[in-house]
Amino acid sequence: MRKPIIAGNWKMFKTRDEALEFVYAVNNNLPSIDKVDSVICAPFTVLRDLVKRQGENLRIGAQNMHFNENGAFTGEISPVMLESLGVSYVIIGHSERRDMFNETDEACSKKLKAAFKHNLTPILCVGEHLQEREDGSWQDLIRGQIIRDLNLLSSDEVEKLVIAYEPIWAIGTGKTATPEIADDTCGFIRTCIKDLYGESVAEKIRIQYGGSVKTSNIEALMAQPNIDGALIGGASLKAEDFITLVKASLK
Ligand code: 13P
Protein backbone atom coordinates (compact mmCIF):
# COMPACT_ATOMS: atom_id res chain seq x y z
CA MET A 1 0.00 0.00 0.00
CA ARG A 2 1.31 3.42 -0.97
CA LYS A 3 0.92 6.25 1.56
CA PRO A 4 -1.09 9.16 0.10
CA ILE A 5 0.73 12.47 -0.40
CA ILE A 6 -1.19 15.74 -0.54
CA ALA A 7 0.95 18.72 -1.50
CA GLY A 8 -0.01 22.36 -1.78
CA ASN A 9 1.85 24.42 -4.37
CA TRP A 10 1.46 28.02 -3.28
CA LYS A 11 3.18 29.35 -6.43
CA MET A 12 3.89 33.12 -6.05
CA PHE A 13 1.39 33.71 -3.25
CA LYS A 14 1.62 34.65 0.44
CA THR A 15 3.63 37.17 2.39
CA ARG A 16 5.44 36.10 5.55
CA ASP A 17 2.52 37.06 7.79
CA GLU A 18 0.06 35.17 5.61
CA ALA A 19 2.27 32.08 5.56
CA LEU A 20 2.62 32.09 9.35
CA GLU A 21 -1.11 32.47 9.83
CA PHE A 22 -1.64 29.43 7.59
CA VAL A 23 0.86 27.19 9.40
CA TYR A 24 -0.56 28.02 12.83
CA ALA A 25 -4.05 27.21 11.56
CA VAL A 26 -3.18 23.81 10.07
CA ASN A 27 -0.57 22.51 12.50
CA ASN A 28 -2.82 20.76 15.01
CA ASN A 29 -5.48 19.75 12.52
CA LEU A 30 -3.66 17.42 10.14
CA PRO A 31 -3.91 13.61 10.26
CA SER A 32 -0.86 11.62 11.38
CA ILE A 33 2.12 11.56 9.04
CA ASP A 34 1.98 7.76 9.46
CA LYS A 35 -1.21 7.82 7.37
CA VAL A 36 -0.67 10.67 4.89
CA ASP A 37 2.16 12.99 3.89
CA SER A 38 0.95 16.62 4.11
CA VAL A 39 3.29 19.04 2.33
CA ILE A 40 3.28 22.76 1.58
CA CYS A 41 5.57 23.95 -1.24
CA ALA A 42 6.07 27.61 -0.50
CA PRO A 43 8.05 30.55 -1.94
CA PHE A 44 11.74 30.63 -0.91
CA THR A 45 11.13 33.75 1.21
CA VAL A 46 9.05 31.88 3.80
CA LEU A 47 10.66 28.43 3.81
CA ARG A 48 12.72 28.95 6.95
CA ASP A 49 9.81 30.41 8.89
CA LEU A 50 7.59 27.50 7.90
CA VAL A 51 10.18 24.80 8.65
CA LYS A 52 10.75 26.28 12.12
CA ARG A 53 7.05 26.19 12.89
CA GLN A 54 5.94 23.05 11.02
CA GLY A 55 3.87 20.78 13.24
CA GLU A 56 4.79 17.09 13.56
CA ASN A 57 2.46 16.13 10.70
CA LEU A 58 3.46 18.82 8.19
CA ARG A 59 6.48 18.97 5.87
CA ILE A 60 7.73 21.91 3.80
CA GLY A 61 8.90 21.92 0.19
CA ALA A 62 10.40 24.40 -2.29
CA GLN A 63 9.02 24.99 -5.79
CA ASN A 64 12.29 24.93 -7.74
CA MET A 65 16.06 24.92 -7.28
CA HIS A 66 19.28 25.02 -9.29
CA PHE A 67 21.14 21.72 -9.81
CA ASN A 68 24.54 23.12 -8.80
CA GLU A 69 25.60 23.28 -5.16
CA ASN A 70 26.88 26.86 -5.50
CA GLY A 71 28.33 29.19 -8.11
CA ALA A 72 27.86 32.42 -10.06
CA PHE A 73 24.13 31.97 -10.80
CA THR A 74 22.53 35.25 -9.80
CA GLY A 75 19.05 34.84 -8.37
CA GLU A 76 19.20 31.04 -8.04
CA ILE A 77 18.84 28.83 -4.94
CA SER A 78 20.85 25.61 -4.52
CA PRO A 79 19.96 22.18 -3.09
CA VAL A 80 22.59 22.70 -0.36
CA MET A 81 20.78 25.86 0.73
CA LEU A 82 17.41 24.09 0.87
CA GLU A 83 18.88 21.16 2.80
CA SER A 84 20.43 23.55 5.31
CA LEU A 85 16.99 25.08 5.99
CA GLY A 86 15.43 21.70 6.79
CA VAL A 87 13.24 21.61 3.70
CA SER A 88 11.95 18.09 2.88
CA TYR A 89 10.57 18.30 -0.70
CA VAL A 90 11.17 20.21 -3.93
CA ILE A 91 8.94 20.51 -7.00
CA ILE A 92 10.89 19.95 -10.21
CA GLY A 93 9.76 20.70 -13.76
CA HIS A 94 6.42 22.35 -13.06
CA SER A 95 4.79 23.24 -16.40
CA GLU A 96 4.87 26.93 -15.46
CA ARG A 97 8.66 26.68 -15.21
CA ARG A 98 8.96 24.60 -18.38
CA ASP A 99 6.72 26.95 -20.38
CA MET A 100 7.59 30.38 -18.92
CA PHE A 101 11.20 29.94 -17.74
CA ASN A 102 12.51 27.56 -20.42
CA GLU A 103 13.22 24.70 -18.03
CA THR A 104 14.46 21.73 -20.07
CA ASP A 105 14.34 17.98 -19.47
CA GLU A 106 18.13 18.04 -19.19
CA ALA A 107 17.94 20.57 -16.35
CA CYS A 108 15.16 18.54 -14.68
CA SER A 109 17.26 15.36 -14.78
CA LYS A 110 20.20 17.14 -13.09
CA LYS A 111 17.87 18.70 -10.53
CA LEU A 112 16.35 15.32 -9.63
CA LYS A 113 19.81 13.82 -9.06
CA ALA A 114 20.89 16.82 -6.97
CA ALA A 115 17.71 16.67 -4.87
CA PHE A 116 18.34 13.06 -3.84
CA LYS A 117 22.00 13.84 -3.09
CA HIS A 118 20.80 16.51 -0.62
CA ASN A 119 18.02 14.55 1.09
CA LEU A 120 15.18 16.34 -0.66
CA THR A 121 12.28 14.31 -2.05
CA PRO A 122 11.54 15.62 -5.54
CA ILE A 123 8.01 15.96 -6.91
CA LEU A 124 8.49 15.79 -10.68
CA CYS A 125 5.69 17.34 -12.76
CA VAL A 126 4.82 15.91 -16.17
CA GLY A 127 1.82 16.57 -18.40
CA GLU A 128 0.53 17.63 -21.78
CA HIS A 129 -1.02 20.73 -23.36
CA LEU A 130 -4.59 20.58 -24.66
CA GLN A 131 -3.32 20.14 -28.23
CA GLU A 132 -1.42 16.96 -27.29
CA ARG A 133 -4.42 15.55 -25.41
CA GLU A 134 -6.63 16.16 -28.43
CA ASP A 135 -4.27 14.89 -31.13
CA GLY A 136 -3.33 11.78 -29.12
CA SER A 137 0.39 12.56 -28.84
CA TRP A 138 0.18 12.86 -25.01
CA GLN A 139 1.49 9.32 -24.45
CA ASP A 140 4.68 9.93 -26.45
CA LEU A 141 5.15 13.28 -24.76
CA ILE A 142 4.77 11.96 -21.20
CA ARG A 143 6.85 8.83 -21.87
CA GLY A 144 9.58 11.09 -23.30
CA GLN A 145 9.52 13.38 -20.26
CA ILE A 146 9.87 10.36 -17.95
CA ILE A 147 12.73 8.78 -19.91
CA ARG A 148 14.71 12.03 -20.16
CA ASP A 149 14.01 13.42 -16.69
CA LEU A 150 14.76 10.20 -14.76
CA ASN A 151 17.82 9.16 -16.75
CA LEU A 152 20.40 9.98 -14.04
CA LEU A 153 18.51 8.22 -11.22
CA SER A 154 19.08 4.74 -9.77
CA SER A 155 16.10 2.41 -9.29
CA ASP A 156 16.33 3.01 -5.53
CA GLU A 157 15.92 6.73 -6.17
CA VAL A 158 13.07 6.28 -8.67
CA GLU A 159 10.99 4.35 -6.13
CA LYS A 160 11.26 7.27 -3.67
CA LEU A 161 10.42 9.87 -6.33
CA VAL A 162 6.94 11.43 -6.47
CA ILE A 163 5.55 12.11 -9.95
CA ALA A 164 2.71 14.62 -10.39
CA TYR A 165 0.62 14.22 -13.52
CA GLU A 166 -0.54 17.75 -14.26
CA PRO A 167 -2.39 18.20 -17.56
CA ILE A 168 -1.63 21.82 -18.48
CA TRP A 169 -5.18 22.34 -19.74
CA ALA A 170 -6.49 21.63 -16.23
CA ILE A 171 -4.16 23.96 -14.28
CA GLY A 172 -5.88 27.04 -12.87
CA THR A 173 -8.71 26.64 -15.39
CA GLY A 174 -11.34 25.09 -13.15
CA LYS A 175 -11.44 22.31 -15.77
CA THR A 176 -10.39 19.18 -13.87
CA ALA A 177 -9.54 16.01 -15.78
CA THR A 178 -12.26 13.45 -15.15
CA PRO A 179 -11.26 10.87 -12.53
CA GLU A 180 -11.13 8.33 -15.39
CA ILE A 181 -8.72 10.38 -17.54
CA ALA A 182 -6.60 11.21 -14.49
CA ASP A 183 -6.45 7.56 -13.42
CA ASP A 184 -5.83 6.30 -16.94
CA THR A 185 -2.89 8.69 -17.37
CA CYS A 186 -1.43 7.97 -13.92
CA GLY A 187 -1.74 4.25 -14.83
CA PHE A 188 0.08 4.96 -18.09
CA ILE A 189 2.89 6.65 -16.12
CA ARG A 190 3.09 3.63 -13.81
CA THR A 191 3.39 1.34 -16.84
CA CYS A 192 6.22 3.48 -18.21
CA ILE A 193 8.01 3.14 -14.85
CA LYS A 194 7.43 -0.63 -14.90
CA ASP A 195 8.90 -0.91 -18.42
CA LEU A 196 11.96 1.11 -17.44
CA TYR A 197 12.61 0.09 -13.81
CA GLY A 198 10.56 -3.08 -13.17
CA GLU A 199 7.41 -4.08 -11.34
CA SER A 200 8.57 -3.52 -7.78
CA VAL A 201 9.62 0.10 -8.44
CA ALA A 202 6.35 0.75 -10.29
CA GLU A 203 4.35 -0.59 -7.33
CA LYS A 204 6.16 1.69 -4.89
CA ILE A 205 6.41 5.01 -6.73
CA ARG A 206 3.72 7.53 -5.77
CA ILE A 207 1.86 9.34 -8.54
CA GLN A 208 -0.23 12.44 -7.85
CA TYR A 209 -2.81 14.16 -9.98
CA GLY A 210 -2.78 17.99 -10.19
CA GLY A 211 -4.99 20.49 -11.99
CA SER A 212 -8.01 22.24 -10.44
CA VAL A 213 -8.19 19.81 -7.51
CA LYS A 214 -10.58 21.16 -4.89
CA THR A 215 -12.54 20.02 -1.86
CA SER A 216 -15.49 19.03 -4.06
CA ASN A 217 -13.59 16.67 -6.39
CA ILE A 218 -10.69 15.25 -4.37
CA GLU A 219 -12.56 12.22 -3.07
CA ALA A 220 -13.50 11.01 -6.56
CA LEU A 221 -9.91 11.46 -7.72
CA MET A 222 -8.40 9.73 -4.67
CA ALA A 223 -10.78 6.78 -5.10
CA GLN A 224 -8.93 5.86 -8.31
CA PRO A 225 -6.44 2.99 -8.01
CA ASN A 226 -3.50 4.71 -9.69
CA ILE A 227 -3.82 8.09 -7.98
CA ASP A 228 -1.81 8.31 -4.75
CA GLY A 229 -2.26 11.97 -3.99
CA ALA A 230 -2.73 15.46 -5.31
CA LEU A 231 -0.64 18.54 -6.11
CA ILE A 232 -2.91 21.48 -5.46
CA GLY A 233 -2.51 25.12 -6.41
CA GLY A 234 -5.34 27.57 -5.75
CA ALA A 235 -7.30 25.38 -3.32
CA SER A 236 -4.26 24.91 -1.05
CA LEU A 237 -4.08 28.59 -0.11
CA LYS A 238 -6.81 28.49 2.54
CA ALA A 239 -5.91 26.60 5.71
CA GLU A 240 -9.40 25.21 6.18
CA ASP A 241 -9.52 23.86 2.61
CA PHE A 242 -6.05 22.34 2.87
CA ILE A 243 -7.07 20.44 6.02
CA THR A 244 -10.24 19.21 4.26
CA LEU A 245 -8.20 18.12 1.20
CA VAL A 246 -5.73 16.14 3.33
CA LYS A 247 -8.49 14.47 5.34
CA ALA A 248 -10.40 13.56 2.16
CA SER A 249 -7.39 11.60 0.93
CA LEU A 250 -7.95 9.10 3.75
CA LYS A 251 -11.56 8.28 2.91
P1 13P B 1 -4.48 24.56 -9.58
O1 13P B 1 -4.81 23.58 -8.49
O2 13P B 1 -4.61 25.99 -9.15
O3 13P B 1 -5.17 24.23 -10.86
O4 13P B 1 -2.89 24.38 -9.87
C1 13P B 1 -2.39 23.12 -10.10
C2 13P B 1 -0.92 23.18 -10.06
O5 13P B 1 -0.28 23.71 -10.94
C3 13P B 1 -0.24 22.60 -8.90
O6 13P B 1 1.13 22.50 -9.11
Side-chain angles (χ1 to χ4, degrees):
M1 268 305 283
R2 297 178 291 267
K3 183 169 39 151
I5 172 164
I6 303 298
N9 173 11
W10 279 357
K11 307 192 180 182
M12 198 171 73
F13 288 95
K14 289 203 191 287
T15 61
R16 178 169 183 267
D17 285 350
E18 289 164 349
L20 292 180
E21 193 184 327
F22 180 100
V23 79
Y24 291 134
V26 300
N27 261 348
N28 295 322
N29 293 301
L30 294 171
S32 165
I33 198 168
D34 296 336
K35 296 211 174 80
V36 51
D37 285 319
S38 305
V39 182
I40 287 294
C41 297
F44 293 128
T45 45
V46 296
L47 289 177
R48 183 60 183 157
D49 283 307
L50 291 180
V51 168
K52 270 195 190 159
R53 292 166 181 85
Q54 71 189 12
E56 58 183 353
N57 297 316
L58 181 66
R59 292 294 177 269
I60 304 303
Q63 299 171 13
N64 178 37
M65 64 176 199
H66 199 277
F67 46 80
N68 277 314
E69 297 186 347
N70 48 50
F73 302 104
T74 301
E76 291 291 316
I77 300 288
S78 85
V80 177
M81 295 169 186
L82 295 180
E83 185 182 27
S84 76
L85 294 184
V87 166
S88 310
Y89 291 83
V90 59
I91 296 174
I92 301 291
H94 192 280
S95 59
E96 287 155 14
R97 297 215 55 84
R98 293 182 192 258
D99 285 353
M100 290 189 263
F101 301 98
N102 303 320
E103 189 148 308
T104 62
D105 286 322
E106 190 188 351
C108 289
S109 72
K110 291 181 186 167
K111 290 180 183 197
L112 290 179
K113 192 72 191 168
F116 279 114
K117 182 168 177 208
H118 293 285
N119 302 309
L120 302 161
T121 298
I123 299 176
L124 173 71
C125 300
V126 299
E128 78 286 356
H129 293 93
L130 187 58
Q131 171 79 36
E132 292 136 354
R133 172 58 55 177
E134 286 178 350
D135 70 17
S137 63
W138 61 271
Q139 293 197 339
D140 287 344
L141 177 109
I142 291 175
R143 192 189 292 107
Q145 286 180 324
I146 291 170
I147 292 171
R148 291 188 294 273
D149 294 357
L150 274 53
N151 78 338
L152 299 176
L153 300 183
S154 66
S155 299
D156 285 354
E157 289 169 331
V158 173
E159 71 180 40
K160 293 188 208 111
L161 173 69
V162 178
I163 295 183
Y165 166 55
E166 295 210 316
I168 294 156
W169 46 272
I171 295 178
T173 58
K175 199 174 158 189
T176 325
T178 62
E180 292 71 30
I181 290 183
D183 185 60
D184 181 60
T185 313
C186 290
F188 171 77
I189 291 169
R190 204 176 295 289
T191 304
C192 292
I193 297 294
K194 184 176 153 204
D195 294 344
L196 293 162
Y197 299 95
E199 177 107 40
S200 135
V201 176
E203 282 303 312
K204 289 192 187 117
I205 190 169
R206 292 184 293 176
I207 304 177
Q208 298 173 309
Y209 167 77
S212 298
V213 176
K214 36 192 182 258
T215 52
S216 57
N217 60 22
I218 190 158
E219 280 183 40
L221 289 160
M222 290 301 299
Q224 303 299 317
N226 279 299
I227 301 179
D228 306 315
L231 183 58
I232 305 157
S236 74
L237 291 167
K238 271 203 209 141
E240 198 184 314
D241 288 353
F242 183 70
I243 295 163
T244 305
L245 289 160
V246 173
K247 288 185 176 162
S249 75
L250 294 175
K251 288 191 183 151

